[in-house]
Each structure stands twice: as structure tokens, then as C-alpha cells.
Amino acid sequence: MVILNSTNAGEDARSFKASKISDFELAFSLAFASDIKSPRVRFGTCQHYYPENFWNPALQTHPNGAAAARGVVLVADNPTDHHIFLKAFTGISDLHASSIGITARTENGDIEIMEGVSYRDQFGVAAEANGEGMTLNALRIAVADIAQAEASLRQGGIAPRRHVGRLIVPPDLAFGATLIFESPK
């Protein structure tokens, strides 16, 4: 897909319709945010105007058994340095704090910020947090059956590791990200 910059998406949609190159309504809006302490990661929100077109159950199945996004994991030298940003970004004032970091529990999954040592202990993968604020390191995915997910990944030529009851696809196999498959809780 080729996407161009726009100064007025509504006018673009009307123009495309008049030119008979589109009959689509605006499908979503985006808003972006950044934590000035974290220059290497960006944040945003997306409002779907027609979520039924995307969240169609028939389009949300995968042979690995993925059932839902459980959340994302960011790493920082000092997670609490980012609590004010996390509260403002999520709108959640009651963050969960523990010895491994802080978590915002959103309706669509957790946003966790943890120290590098805790990240390594939890997921068996080293993370870089070199004083430049947060880095986005992992996506947590709920699967009904870990063995099914592992078989599906191996069939696709991906060799995941097991760590603390989770299935881990390390960054060298996932284009720099870590994929964490785990049972729903």
C-alpha cells in the first residue's frame, strides 16, 4: 500500500470519490505521542470508525492459536522515570508497580516497562537499555495451547525457545522484536 501525507483526509476522501477512484469512507484516525526521555520509541492511538471491518473473527485466526494480544514490553534503566508519561498516554492513573517494573493494564493489553535484568529473567532474552529511555522490546501473545503454537512455528521454520512456561521467539528470528507466546491468564 502506498500512503501519502495529507493536510485534510476528509477532503481527500471526497475528492477520491468525485474522481471515482474510491467509495470508501474514512476508516480511522491516528494521534501520536512521544516521551522526551525515550527518543528511540514512539506511541500513538488509533480510532477505528468501522472496527467490524478489521475485527472480523474469520480474519483473526492463525494456525499458531493466537487468541489475543496480551500486551507489549518496554525496557528502561529506571522504569519509574516514565510513569508520568505512561499515565498520560494510557489515561490510567492506577499503575501496577512491582519489583520488576510498572504496568498499565489497558482493555486491550498491558503496557509493561521493566529493567533489563528483569526482562532477561522473565523472557530469557537480553535487552538493550543504554540510558536512552525506553526501548520497545516485545509483544506478548495469548495462545490457548503452547504446544500447538510451538508446532506451528516449527512447521514455519521458526525455532522458538521455552522459558518460564512461555514460548519465546527471540529478536534474531523476529526482525528485532521478541515474540512471547503464553497461556491466557
Side-chain angles (χ1 to χ4, degrees):
M1 177 174 269
V2 175
I3 299 176
L4 301 176
N5 184 32
S6 175
T7 58
N8 188 329
E11 182 57 37
D12 292 340
R14 287 186 287 281
S15 173
F16 294 162
K17 193 170 194 169
S19 299
K20 298 184 180 174
I21 63 172
S22 172
D23 63 355
F24 298 101
E25 298 296 324
L26 290 180
F28 59 88
S29 292
L30 301 171
F32 297 99
S34 65
D35 177 357
I36 61 170
K37 296 177 183 177
S38 303
R40 298 187 307 159
V41 64
R42 295 292 181 259
F43 301 84
T45 59
C46 179
Q47 177 187 2
H48 288 264
Y49 298 129
Y50 304 100
E52 66 276 9
N53 294 340
F54 180 78
W55 296 109
N56 179 330
L59 302 175
Q60 301 297 315
T61 59
H62 192 279
N64 68 18
R70 297 275 323 272
V72 297
V73 183
L74 297 109
V75 173
D77 287 337
N78 188 356
T80 58
D81 285 350
H82 307 281
H83 79 281
I84 292 170
F85 170 80
L86 189 58
K87 285 180 179 184
F89 175 61
T90 62
I92 297 171
S93 60
D94 187 21
L95 301 178
H96 174 75
S98 71
S99 60
I100 65 171
I102 59 174
T103 303
R105 289 188 163 79
T106 77
E107 65 183 38
N108 294 310
D110 295 346
I111 300 174
E112 297 176 84
I113 307 171
M114 60 178 61
E115 293 177 342
V117 171
S118 297
Y119 181 84
R120 185 199 64 225
D121 292 348
Q122 290 291 309
F123 308 117
V125 176
E128 286 187 37
N130 56 13
E132 293 187 57
M134 296 181 281
T135 57
L136 180 58
N137 292 83
L139 173 63
R140 294 174 49 226
I141 303 163
V143 294
D145 184 332
I146 294 285
Q148 174 190 348
E150 183 173 18
S152 176
L153 289 165
R154 290 191 185 282
Q155 185 176 12
I158 298 169
R161 303 180 216 159
R162 288 195 179 234
H163 186 79
V164 192
R166 298 176 176 112
L167 194 60
I168 310 295
V169 177
D172 59 315
L173 299 179
F175 302 100
T178 299
L179 303 178
I180 303 163
F181 295 89
E182 54 195 16
S183 299
K185 293 179 185 177

